[in-house]
Amino acid sequence: MPTLRALLASLAFLLAGGAVFSAATDQFQAFTTEAARRLAVQRHPVEIPAAGLQTQSGAHIQLSDFRGKWLVIDFIYTRCPSYCIALGGEFAQLQDRLAGPIAQGKVQLLSISFDPDHDIPSQLAAYLAHSRDRDRGRGWLAARPIDPDGLAQIKRAFGVTVIADGLGGYTHNAAIHLVDPRGRLVGIFDLGDPGPVAQVVLQRLGR
């Protein structure tokens, strides 16, 4: 009997632990904070702020100006030696894969700098020129927030984490974000393969 009681107690412990783990991981679908954030965005799209931006040409725009289009966004700083270079290459690929809907005004690519003090329009223009190894046409802007409040709103809405590395650069998370024509963040995709981003956009456009 003592052995049976011990087995039953162990089984109860395992079941209770499994229930807690299931709840903590959203039915085993989210094992990290980042995974949980992405799952939450899919289930409950986040309305993005109408923050003011300045583009590589010096023009002043707002994020809300892109309502009615699918908006593909990444977050960069132009001195970044690693992730941002990779993101630039992947955006160049997306510019090719989505060339049709971009030409029709249905899709816009946007790289937003979280280092606005350094990334003035000329730096943003140089970043685009470096990322686009040939003339790939329109449909891709680089921009910086025009005020600290706007930058804070954007970082909060998109879940962008930026930490100064003490050497003049930053440690930051990197992903590709998809905003629907209603101005809602509806998807976050891993860096490394822009194919799924293009696939989702084309599917939503019925192509």
Side-chain angles (χ1 to χ4, degrees), residues 64-82:
S64 55
D65 293 342
F66 299 105
R67 295 281 174 88
K69 297 183 178 183
W70 286 93
L71 185 59
V72 183
I73 299 180
D74 65 356
F75 294 91
I76 55 100
Y77 72 107
T78 62
R79 293 172 294 152
C80 176
S82 55

mmCIF file of all heavy atoms in Angstrom, residues 64-82:
data_model
loop_
_atom_site.group_PDB
_atom_site.id
_atom_site.type_symbol
_atom_site.label_atom_id
_atom_site.label_comp_id
_atom_site.label_asym_id
_atom_site.label_seq_id
_atom_site.Cartn_x
_atom_site.Cartn_y
_atom_site.Cartn_z
ATOM 1 N N SER A 64 0.521 56.033 -39.960
ATOM 2 C CA SER A 64 -0.875 55.887 -40.397
ATOM 3 C C SER A 64 -1.064 56.236 -41.874
ATOM 4 O O SER A 64 -2.105 55.904 -42.452
ATOM 5 C CB SER A 64 -1.786 56.763 -39.536
ATOM 6 O OG SER A 64 -1.355 58.107 -39.564
ATOM 7 N N ASP A 65 -0.079 56.855 -42.490
ATOM 8 C CA ASP A 65 -0.187 57.177 -43.923
ATOM 9 C C ASP A 65 -0.247 55.922 -44.786
ATOM 10 O O ASP A 65 -0.643 55.999 -45.954
ATOM 11 C CB ASP A 65 1.010 58.030 -44.378
ATOM 12 C CG ASP A 65 1.010 59.416 -43.765
ATOM 13 O OD1 ASP A 65 -0.049 59.842 -43.272
ATOM 14 O OD2 ASP A 65 2.073 60.062 -43.769
ATOM 15 N N PHE A 66 0.165 54.787 -44.224
ATOM 16 C CA PHE A 66 0.218 53.558 -45.015
ATOM 17 C C PHE A 66 -1.047 52.706 -44.886
ATOM 18 O O PHE A 66 -1.074 51.583 -45.389
ATOM 19 C CB PHE A 66 1.445 52.733 -44.611
ATOM 20 C CG PHE A 66 2.748 53.442 -44.848
ATOM 21 C CD1 PHE A 66 3.469 53.973 -43.795
ATOM 22 C CD2 PHE A 66 3.236 53.601 -46.144
ATOM 23 C CE1 PHE A 66 4.660 54.645 -44.008
ATOM 24 C CE2 PHE A 66 4.436 54.272 -46.371
ATOM 25 C CZ PHE A 66 5.146 54.792 -45.306
ATOM 26 N N ARG A 67 -2.060 53.240 -44.198
ATOM 27 C CA ARG A 67 -3.323 52.500 -44.110
ATOM 28 C C ARG A 67 -3.830 52.212 -45.534
ATOM 29 O O ARG A 67 -3.753 53.060 -46.423
ATOM 30 C CB ARG A 67 -4.363 53.305 -43.350
ATOM 31 C CG ARG A 67 -4.010 53.528 -41.888
ATOM 32 C CD ARG A 67 -4.307 52.315 -41.047
ATOM 33 N NE ARG A 67 -3.848 52.478 -39.668
ATOM 34 C CZ ARG A 67 -4.576 53.028 -38.700
ATOM 35 N NH1 ARG A 67 -5.789 53.471 -38.977
ATOM 36 N NH2 ARG A 67 -4.094 53.133 -37.475
ATOM 37 N N GLY A 68 -4.340 51.017 -45.701
ATOM 38 C CA GLY A 68 -4.818 50.604 -47.023
ATOM 39 C C GLY A 68 -3.817 49.742 -47.771
ATOM 40 O O GLY A 68 -4.152 49.175 -48.808
ATOM 41 N N LYS A 69 -2.594 49.646 -47.225
ATOM 42 C CA LYS A 69 -1.555 48.814 -47.836
ATOM 43 C C LYS A 69 -1.091 47.767 -46.824
ATOM 44 O O LYS A 69 -1.204 47.957 -45.612
ATOM 45 C CB LYS A 69 -0.324 49.654 -48.216
ATOM 46 C CG LYS A 69 -0.559 50.722 -49.251
ATOM 47 C CD LYS A 69 0.760 51.419 -49.564
ATOM 48 C CE LYS A 69 0.575 52.476 -50.638
ATOM 49 N NZ LYS A 69 1.860 53.117 -51.004
ATOM 50 N N TRP A 70 -0.515 46.692 -47.316
ATOM 51 C CA TRP A 70 0.235 45.783 -46.467
ATOM 52 C C TRP A 70 1.600 46.417 -46.241
ATOM 53 O O TRP A 70 2.263 46.841 -47.198
ATOM 54 C CB TRP A 70 0.378 44.408 -47.118
ATOM 55 C CG TRP A 70 -0.900 43.642 -47.078
ATOM 56 C CD1 TRP A 70 -1.861 43.589 -48.039
ATOM 57 C CD2 TRP A 70 -1.377 42.856 -45.987
ATOM 58 N NE1 TRP A 70 -2.913 42.815 -47.623
ATOM 59 C CE2 TRP A 70 -2.647 42.343 -46.370
ATOM 60 C CE3 TRP A 70 -0.874 42.524 -44.727
ATOM 61 C CZ2 TRP A 70 -3.398 41.520 -45.527
ATOM 62 C CZ3 TRP A 70 -1.618 41.708 -43.898
ATOM 63 C CH2 TRP A 70 -2.861 41.216 -44.299
ATOM 64 N N LEU A 71 1.990 46.502 -44.990
ATOM 65 C CA LEU A 71 3.227 47.179 -44.618
ATOM 66 C C LEU A 71 4.179 46.162 -43.989
ATOM 67 O O LEU A 71 3.829 45.498 -43.012
ATOM 68 C CB LEU A 71 2.899 48.295 -43.633
ATOM 69 C CG LEU A 71 4.025 49.226 -43.174
ATOM 70 C CD1 LEU A 71 4.669 49.936 -44.360
ATOM 71 C CD2 LEU A 71 3.466 50.253 -42.178
ATOM 72 N N VAL A 72 5.362 46.035 -44.580
ATOM 73 C CA VAL A 72 6.388 45.120 -44.065
ATOM 74 C C VAL A 72 7.481 45.975 -43.428
ATOM 75 O O VAL A 72 8.063 46.844 -44.093
ATOM 76 C CB VAL A 72 6.972 44.249 -45.198
ATOM 77 C CG1 VAL A 72 7.979 43.251 -44.627
ATOM 78 C CG2 VAL A 72 5.858 43.514 -45.943
ATOM 79 N N ILE A 73 7.727 45.752 -42.141
ATOM 80 C CA ILE A 73 8.616 46.637 -41.375
ATOM 81 C C ILE A 73 9.746 45.841 -40.726
ATOM 82 O O ILE A 73 9.534 44.744 -40.206
ATOM 83 C CB ILE A 73 7.826 47.370 -40.270
ATOM 84 C CG1 ILE A 73 6.720 48.240 -40.884
ATOM 85 C CG2 ILE A 73 8.739 48.223 -39.415
ATOM 86 C CD1 ILE A 73 5.900 48.990 -39.846
ATOM 87 N N ASP A 74 10.952 46.432 -40.761
ATOM 88 C CA ASP A 74 12.022 45.940 -39.897
ATOM 89 C C ASP A 74 12.592 47.119 -39.124
ATOM 90 O O ASP A 74 12.303 48.280 -39.429
ATOM 91 C CB ASP A 74 13.102 45.183 -40.685
ATOM 92 C CG ASP A 74 13.871 46.065 -41.655
ATOM 93 O OD1 ASP A 74 13.532 47.267 -41.797
ATOM 94 O OD2 ASP A 74 14.814 45.569 -42.288
ATOM 95 N N PHE A 75 13.383 46.809 -38.098
ATOM 96 C CA PHE A 75 13.964 47.847 -37.242
ATOM 97 C C PHE A 75 15.477 47.693 -37.271
ATOM 98 O O PHE A 75 16.012 46.602 -37.025
ATOM 99 C CB PHE A 75 13.406 47.729 -35.820
ATOM 100 C CG PHE A 75 11.932 48.018 -35.766
ATOM 101 C CD1 PHE A 75 11.012 46.985 -35.901
ATOM 102 C CD2 PHE A 75 11.470 49.315 -35.644
ATOM 103 C CE1 PHE A 75 9.647 47.236 -35.907
ATOM 104 C CE2 PHE A 75 10.108 49.581 -35.651
ATOM 105 C CZ PHE A 75 9.196 48.549 -35.778
ATOM 106 N N ILE A 76 16.139 48.806 -37.557
ATOM 107 C CA ILE A 76 17.573 48.749 -37.823
ATOM 108 C C ILE A 76 18.290 49.962 -37.217
ATOM 109 O O ILE A 76 17.645 50.913 -36.768
ATOM 110 C CB ILE A 76 17.840 48.727 -39.350
ATOM 111 C CG1 ILE A 76 17.163 49.922 -40.077
ATOM 112 C CG2 ILE A 76 17.312 47.445 -39.949
ATOM 113 C CD1 ILE A 76 18.050 51.052 -40.385
ATOM 114 N N TYR A 77 19.614 49.911 -37.178
ATOM 115 C CA TYR A 77 20.405 51.138 -37.064
ATOM 116 C C TYR A 77 21.534 50.994 -38.073
ATOM 117 O O TYR A 77 22.061 49.895 -38.293
ATOM 118 C CB TYR A 77 20.884 51.390 -35.628
ATOM 119 C CG TYR A 77 21.963 50.519 -35.080
ATOM 120 C CD1 TYR A 77 23.258 51.004 -34.910
ATOM 121 C CD2 TYR A 77 21.698 49.212 -34.675
ATOM 122 C CE1 TYR A 77 24.262 50.218 -34.365
ATOM 123 C CE2 TYR A 77 22.689 48.408 -34.142
ATOM 124 C CZ TYR A 77 23.978 48.916 -33.991
ATOM 125 O OH TYR A 77 24.970 48.126 -33.458
ATOM 126 N N THR A 78 21.855 52.082 -38.725
ATOM 127 C CA THR A 78 22.669 51.982 -39.940
ATOM 128 C C THR A 78 24.120 51.597 -39.672
ATOM 129 O O THR A 78 24.812 51.156 -40.591
ATOM 130 C CB THR A 78 22.639 53.301 -40.726
ATOM 131 O OG1 THR A 78 23.198 54.351 -39.918
ATOM 132 C CG2 THR A 78 21.214 53.660 -41.127
ATOM 133 N N ARG A 79 24.600 51.748 -38.424
ATOM 134 C CA ARG A 79 25.975 51.342 -38.116
ATOM 135 C C ARG A 79 26.059 49.872 -37.720
ATOM 136 O O ARG A 79 27.146 49.368 -37.421
ATOM 137 C CB ARG A 79 26.525 52.204 -36.975
ATOM 138 C CG ARG A 79 26.709 53.666 -37.340
ATOM 139 C CD ARG A 79 27.059 54.455 -36.097
ATOM 140 N NE ARG A 79 25.949 54.482 -35.150
ATOM 141 C CZ ARG A 79 26.083 54.608 -33.830
ATOM 142 N NH1 ARG A 79 27.282 54.709 -33.300
ATOM 143 N NH2 ARG A 79 25.025 54.630 -33.046
ATOM 144 N N CYS A 80 24.938 49.189 -37.693
ATOM 145 C CA CYS A 80 24.873 47.799 -37.241
ATOM 146 C C CYS A 80 25.719 46.913 -38.165
ATOM 147 O O CYS A 80 25.565 46.942 -39.382
ATOM 148 C CB CYS A 80 23.422 47.328 -37.252
ATOM 149 S SG CYS A 80 23.197 45.595 -36.818
ATOM 150 N N PRO A 81 26.608 46.112 -37.581
ATOM 151 C CA PRO A 81 27.484 45.277 -38.419
ATOM 152 C C PRO A 81 26.928 43.888 -38.707
ATOM 153 O O PRO A 81 27.584 43.108 -39.394
ATOM 154 C CB PRO A 81 28.745 45.176 -37.558
ATOM 155 C CG PRO A 81 28.218 45.174 -36.151
ATOM 156 C CD PRO A 81 26.998 46.077 -36.159
ATOM 157 N N SER A 82 25.751 43.549 -38.180
ATOM 158 C CA SER A 82 25.311 42.157 -38.303
ATOM 159 C C SER A 82 23.844 42.037 -38.743
ATOM 160 O O SER A 82 23.559 41.985 -39.944
ATOM 161 C CB SER A 82 25.527 41.449 -36.961
ATOM 162 O OG SER A 82 24.874 42.161 -35.910
#
